[in-house]
Amino acid sequence: QFCPTKAEARRSAAKIALMNSVFNEHPSRRITDEFIEKSVSEALASFNGNREEADNPNTGIGAFRFMLESNKGKSMLEFQELMTVFQLLHWNGSLKAMRERQCSRQEVLAHYSHRALDDDIRNQMALDWVNREQNIPGALSRELAATERELDEARLAGKELRFHKEKKDILLLAAGQLGS
């Protein structure tokens, strides 16, 4: 809704966050065997996949199934946070680096499935961006500008903002470490 002041916007956002947290913690929003089967079937249909892909952990849909199964009983909110961690790892290049070190998907998923999005992960990713900036001057400012545009576009489109906000926070942390 339109809010004429920042204070009203904050109150409105707090109300929506409270409603979302209550809704997301409801027992019907837990990951169950039925939910996994339905989600995997929908993913197979969306990507014209076959049943063998869902059972093969080396495919995207198989990894999706593995993640859902390893989070059985958790709330959708908890799963969404985990997915944000993996989005950030992909964006940051960490998943690619792990693949180059011959880490299997299952090893990566097993390691990060139990990690929350915390200051340690943010600091580790910020250090990656500090190194990237030192190797390619200007990379950080270009990525920050692109991230701010993506954040604004997502906000205007009413999309989930967590991934974009976390990216921006990581990049600002890296900029602070560089002293710029």
Side-chain angles (χ1 to χ4, degrees):
Q1 76 185 42
F2 176 77
C3 298
T5 66
K6 280 188 177 183
E8 286 182 46
R10 284 189 182 111
R11 279 191 293 277
S12 177
K15 287 178 191 174
I16 291 169
L18 176 61
M19 288 187 299
N20 281 340
S21 68
V22 169
F23 175 74
N24 281 318
E25 291 302 320
H26 190 273
S28 68
R29 298 284 294 167
R30 298 249 171 225
I31 297 174
T32 62
D33 288 327
E34 296 80 28
F35 176 81
I36 293 170
E37 287 309 315
K38 182 180 178 210
S39 298
V40 169
S41 294
E42 288 174 3
L44 286 169
S46 294
F47 296 103
N48 296 321
N50 59 42
R51 200 76 196 142
E52 292 162 7
E53 283 183 66
D55 297 329
N56 181 351
N58 294 318
T59 66
I61 293 174
F64 176 59
R65 174 188 280 279
F66 177 82
M67 288 186 76
L68 286 171
E69 287 177 350
S70 65
N71 286 277
K72 203 181 302 181
K74 290 186 179 176
S75 71
M76 293 305 291
L77 200 57
E78 292 170 307
F79 186 68
Q80 185 177 8
E81 180 169 349
L82 176 66
M83 294 309 295
T84 301
V85 169
F86 280 97
Q87 281 180 290
L88 289 167
L89 291 169
H90 174 72
W91 159 74
N92 196 50
S94 299
L95 292 180
K96 181 180 178 188
M98 289 178 221
R99 191 170 41 247
E100 289 169 357
R101 288 194 308 264
Q102 307 296 316
C103 294
S104 73
R105 277 190 177 161
Q106 276 57 40
E107 290 170 326
V108 173
L109 292 171
H111 177 74
Y112 281 101
S113 290
H114 306 291
R115 301 249 343 241
L117 186 51
D118 59 12
D119 289 340
D120 289 339
I121 290 179
R122 288 184 194 96
N123 285 326
Q124 182 181 355
M125 290 185 187
L127 284 174
D128 291 341
W129 279 97
V130 166
N131 290 334
R132 199 169 286 153
E133 176 66 21
Q134 289 170 342
N135 292 333
I136 308 167
L140 182 60
S141 60
R142 284 190 298 276
E143 187 67 22
L144 184 55
T147 297
E148 287 175 338
R149 279 191 308 276
E150 291 168 3
L151 181 59
D152 288 340
E153 290 168 5
R155 183 179 292 120
L156 291 173
K159 293 181 178 178
E160 172 63 41
L161 302 178
R162 177 84 188 266
F163 170 62
H164 303 291
K165 184 203 168 297
E166 291 292 344
K167 277 174 53 175
K168 182 177 177 179
D169 289 350
I170 290 165
L171 294 168
L172 289 174
L173 183 60
Q177 291 174 358
L178 285 167
S180 56

